[in-house]
Amino acid sequence: MAQLLWLVPLLPLLGFTALALTGGHLGRRAVAWIGAGSVGLSAALALWIAAGFLLHPPAGHAYTLTAWQWMAVEGFTPTIGFYLDPLSVVMMLVVTFVGFLIHLYSTEFMAGDPGYSRFFAYLNLFVASMLALVLADNLLFFYLGWEGVGLCSYLLIGFWYDDPDNGRAARKAFVVTRIGDVAFTVGLFVLFTHLGTLDIQPLMAQAAAQWPAGSALATTAAFLLLGGAVGKSAQLPLQTWLPDAMAGPTPVSALIHAATMVTAGVYLIARTHVLFALAPAAQLAVAVVGAATLLLAGFSALTQWDIKRILAYSTISQIGYMFLALGVGAWAVAIFHLMIHAFFKALLFLSAGVVIHALDDEHNIFRMGGLRRTLPAAFWPFLIGGLALSAVPFISAGFYSKDLIILDAWSSASGSPWLWAAAWVGALMTSMYTFRLIFIAFFGEPRTQVTRRPGTRVMIPLVILSVLSVIGGCLELPAYMGNVHLFTGFLHLSLPAVHALAGDATETALELLSAAASLGGIYLAYVLFLRNPHWLRNLASQGTGAALHRFWFGDWAMDWLYDRLAVRPYYWFARVNRGDVVDAFYRGLALLSQALHEVLSETQTGTLRRYALGMTVGSLIVLSIAVFV
């Protein structure tokens, strides 16, 4: 079965090819069958391959399939090859399954859009690129998928390109993520130059054999890869593109920000964990970046009014938790939260899409209200997703994954009380901003009339994701609930286990504190945003409160900072350098060409005798040169 692994990314790629070549001439039904069907077949095949992997695991719990040799240049012979191990099995299933549900949802959600075929072509290419990324057996093929998802994110964020704001958001995402991509590219050069290969498994083996822990080369390479991960996963300081990426259609937000692109950086670090283990400074930086990002994004989410931007900041924050887990050595736990996050964040974005459609493209939560009664089809899925995002104890899948991260931030050998404190405060903030959104949008009195109701193709993904957002945590249960470790036990076949130092009493206390953060944040949201909303309104309208509100609303002034440090200096230099020497040289060539044209145009008199005379003289000159020279 594993021999068919190459078909998993190929099927959506064929879907993209068919839709691209037909150029929008197919009917909507055919487009829906090709777009959603290709990913559905890929998901079914991925499930079949994963079942075979579990029932009949290959030797070493890893399987490599080489499709063909890509190139051969001076001993550099990368392949189009696929690598299947527990880590890539999980990622393959998440990408295909959640991707299919989003495609199915989109067949109805985008039905009235004139770019229907183009939308599914981009979506198919996106899924194909992400699958190439997670299944690649070498970092060059990995990088091809990496750049593919970057291209598709640009195309999808700017899908409605008639609006200049959407084009700007797409360009911003493209440029900001390119900063990280440059770091990643340089990291590949460093690795190949010193280790002689980009095949991931031999590369990691050689790095462990040749580089001692803390060596300068290992640290340099790890930091460069971290730079790529920070850009693609929207972590500090390159997180500014993600909130603006909400300009794209809602299914795009669900796909990019739940199961695919933003998790690519997490997967990169997990896949190259050997390198980060050899570079303690880089691994600590991963944890610090994650902790700082989850706090920054949490405060920003508290001030937003756009329902999708709130969810975008929550994505930045939850990816921060994954980075924190990676940084403290809880590699499998980070991937567990990645999977659970894919379920509940896709659910939240798709539910938000139902709300936006039902209210005639209204995004402002303060113009909603009362949707609990007027739009229950969106309320209940959104509530389930909100409970999972808030990590409400026992009844949500998010509790089991986030609780493990908060616990490991304290108890792992690489953890610390400071990292735990950041994770705990972040959990409190997450519950607050999540239920702020729920209380304002779904409770109170209706402010905007509901004009549309979701159909079957929208509701099926919502129901499935709702179930997964509740029961998904059962794969990993704490000691007092049965001590089940199915997920991490499977991933520990390819990722190291975390080294925990806390005793049973400390672990119990930390779990109680995590539960208190989740429930306490919900209670604070109830008091401040539903029961007594005037308190914060008054606080945010004057003095320090107003300044803090503007500061957090503006993403901690990061865009302002980049504008002053990069954008304006670039424009200033371009204006100053407008008349540089190089331009003068080419302007001179243009002027010379223009002058010669004017001189030669004088010979165009229209007199046949002069043309004949010119041809005769020219012929004599050519003959003279041939005879005498």
Side-chain angles (χ1 to χ4, degrees):
M1 288 180 286
Q3 290 86 350
L4 299 177
L5 187 61
W6 58 279
L7 279 173
V8 176
L10 181 64
L11 287 169
L13 184 61
L14 291 175
F16 158 75
T17 304
L19 294 173
L21 292 179
T22 53
H25 295 294
L26 293 176
R28 292 183 185 275
R29 182 182 293 273
V31 169
W33 275 105
I34 294 172
S38 61
V39 179
L41 289 174
S42 180
L45 180 60
L47 188 61
W48 188 40
I49 292 172
F53 188 93
L54 289 169
L55 295 174
H56 307 287
H61 298 280
Y63 174 79
T64 301
L65 173 67
T66 301
W68 66 82
Q69 184 173 292
W70 190 350
M71 65 183 81
V73 181
E74 294 294 330
F76 179 50
T77 56
T79 62
I80 301 297
F82 304 92
Y83 183 75
L84 196 67
D85 70 343
L87 176 57
S88 54
V89 165
V90 170
M91 294 298 297
M92 175 181 66
L93 290 175
V94 169
V95 172
T96 55
F97 187 70
V98 177
F100 169 66
L101 292 178
I102 293 170
H103 275 70
L104 177 61
Y105 175 99
S106 300
T107 59
E108 179 182 323
F109 187 88
M110 298 295 292
D113 197 283
Y116 194 72
S117 179
R118 177 168 58 92
F119 177 80
F120 278 99
Y122 293 166
L123 227 56
N124 278 187
L125 182 60
F126 195 107
V127 171
S129 298
M130 190 67 192
L131 287 170
L133 186 156
V134 301
L135 294 174
D137 76 335
N138 66 84
L139 286 177
L140 189 63
F141 189 27
F142 183 108
Y143 189 73
L144 178 66
W146 183 276
E147 288 301 307
V149 295
L151 169 64
C152 294
S153 70
Y154 167 78
L155 295 172
L156 288 166
I157 292 168
F159 180 76
W160 290 317
Y161 54 83
D162 291 338
D163 186 342
D165 289 339
N166 297 342
R168 280 191 288 270
R171 290 193 298 273
K172 181 178 182 180
F174 194 80
V175 170
V176 173
T177 55
R178 289 293 77 74
I179 298 171
D181 293 352
V182 170
F184 186 16
T185 305
V186 176
L188 296 185
F189 283 122
V190 170
L191 290 170
F192 180 75
T193 300
H194 293 278
L195 298 177
T197 182
L198 288 180
D199 293 339
I200 297 174
Q201 302 311 313
L203 181 73
M204 295 300 106
Q206 290 189 42
Q210 297 181 26
W211 292 344
S215 71
L217 283 173
T219 303
T220 300
F223 268 110
L224 289 168
L225 296 189
L226 174 58
V230 161
K232 198 68 76 180
S233 292
Q235 295 294 282
L236 192 71
L238 299 179
Q239 83 288 357
T240 58
W241 67 269
L242 190 62
D244 290 345
M246 296 300 103
T250 300
V252 172
S253 304
L255 186 64
I256 293 179
H257 308 139
T260 53
M261 178 172 165
V262 294
T263 60
V266 177
Y267 177 71
L268 170 64
I269 295 175
R271 177 54 77 196
T272 58
H273 66 273
V274 172
L275 190 61
F276 282 87
L278 294 173
Q283 189 172 345
L284 175 61
V286 174
V288 171
V289 165
T293 304
L294 69 90
L295 288 175
L296 179 147
F299 281 103
S300 290
L302 266 177
T303 63
Q304 305 298 315
W305 53 261
D306 186 312
I307 186 171
K308 287 175 64 177
R309 285 182 74 90
I310 295 170
L311 295 179
Y313 278 108
S314 78
T315 296
I316 296 172
S317 180
Q318 296 309 300
I319 300 293
Y321 273 103
M322 298 173 207
F323 268 62
L324 175 59
L326 295 170
V328 298
W331 311 99
V333 173
I335 302 302
F336 183 45
H337 192 56
L338 183 155
M339 182 187 73
I340 299 300
H341 175 262
F343 298 153
F344 69 70
K345 186 53 60 67
L347 175 62
L348 286 167
F349 269 115
L350 297 183
S351 301
V354 172
V355 171
I356 293 167
H357 248 205
L359 303 182
D360 285 333
D361 206 34
E362 180 59 70
H363 288 238
N364 191 336
I365 60 173
F366 293 102
R367 295 176 186 165
M368 297 177 184
L371 296 176
R372 176 171 57 96
R373 298 185 301 275
T374 59
L375 195 62
F379 168 68
W380 290 109
F382 201 99
L383 178 62
I384 292 170
L387 292 171
L389 174 58
S390 302
V392 173
F394 310 124
I395 62 172
S396 71
F399 164 71
Y400 300 97
S401 58
K402 189 185 289 185
D403 186 66
L404 281 175
I405 295 176
I406 297 173
L407 175 64
D408 289 333
W410 176 287
S411 63
S412 79
S414 302
S416 76
W418 290 107
L419 294 175
W420 173 86
W424 188 89
V425 173
L428 181 72
M429 300 295 298
T430 300
S431 294
M432 283 185 66
Y433 68 67
T434 301
F435 275 84
R436 167 183 177 263
L437 190 164
I438 292 173
F439 289 142
I440 293 173
F442 292 94
F443 287 75
E445 295 301 318
R447 301 180 184 89
T448 304
Q449 184 179 359
V450 173
T451 59
R452 300 179 193 171
R453 304 286 175 180
T456 304
R457 285 174 291 165
V458 163
M459 291 308 302
I460 289 175
L462 295 185
V463 171
I464 294 173
L465 290 169
S466 295
V467 172
L468 292 174
S469 297
V470 174
I471 69 170
C474 295
L475 296 172
E476 200 72 22
L477 299 177
Y480 59 84
M481 294 183 67
N483 202 31
V484 175
H485 301 292
L486 294 176
F487 188 89
T488 56
F490 178 59
L491 274 187
H492 285 158
L493 297 172
S494 57
L495 295 172
V498 64
H499 300 291
L501 303 178
D504 292 341
T506 302
E507 184 174 330
T508 301
L510 292 173
E511 289 170 346
L512 290 173
L513 286 172
S514 297
S518 173
L519 299 175
I522 296 173
Y523 178 73
L524 285 174
Y526 168 74
V527 171
L528 296 175
F529 302 110
L530 188 61
R531 189 173 179 180
N532 300 294
H534 59 279
W535 288 358
L536 281 182
R537 264 200 310 267
N538 295 335
L539 180 63
S541 62
Q542 54 189 347
T544 305
L548 274 177
H549 187 278
R550 289 193 302 271
F551 186 59
W552 292 339
F553 183 83
D555 199 11
W556 296 60
M558 292 295 292
D559 281 325
W560 177 90
L561 184 64
Y562 285 138
D563 184 62
R564 266 63 178 179
L565 293 180
V567 177
R568 293 191 180 186
Y570 178 84
Y571 278 115
W572 172 85
F573 180 76
R575 285 193 301 269
V576 170
N577 199 43
R578 182 173 295 171
D580 65 5
V581 175
V582 174
D583 286 343
F585 172 74
Y586 289 107
R587 279 198 300 271
L589 285 180
L591 291 172
L592 177 61
S593 298
Q594 183 178 356
L596 290 174
H597 164 74
E598 291 175 355
V599 171
L600 292 174
S601 65
E602 294 297 325
T603 65
Q604 295 177 321
T605 62
T607 303
L608 185 59
R609 291 179 180 178
R610 292 193 177 184
Y611 293 163
L613 177 62
M615 292 175 63
T616 303
V617 172
S619 299
L620 290 173
I621 292 173
V622 170
L623 289 172
S624 299
I625 293 173
V627 171
F628 297 107
V629 177

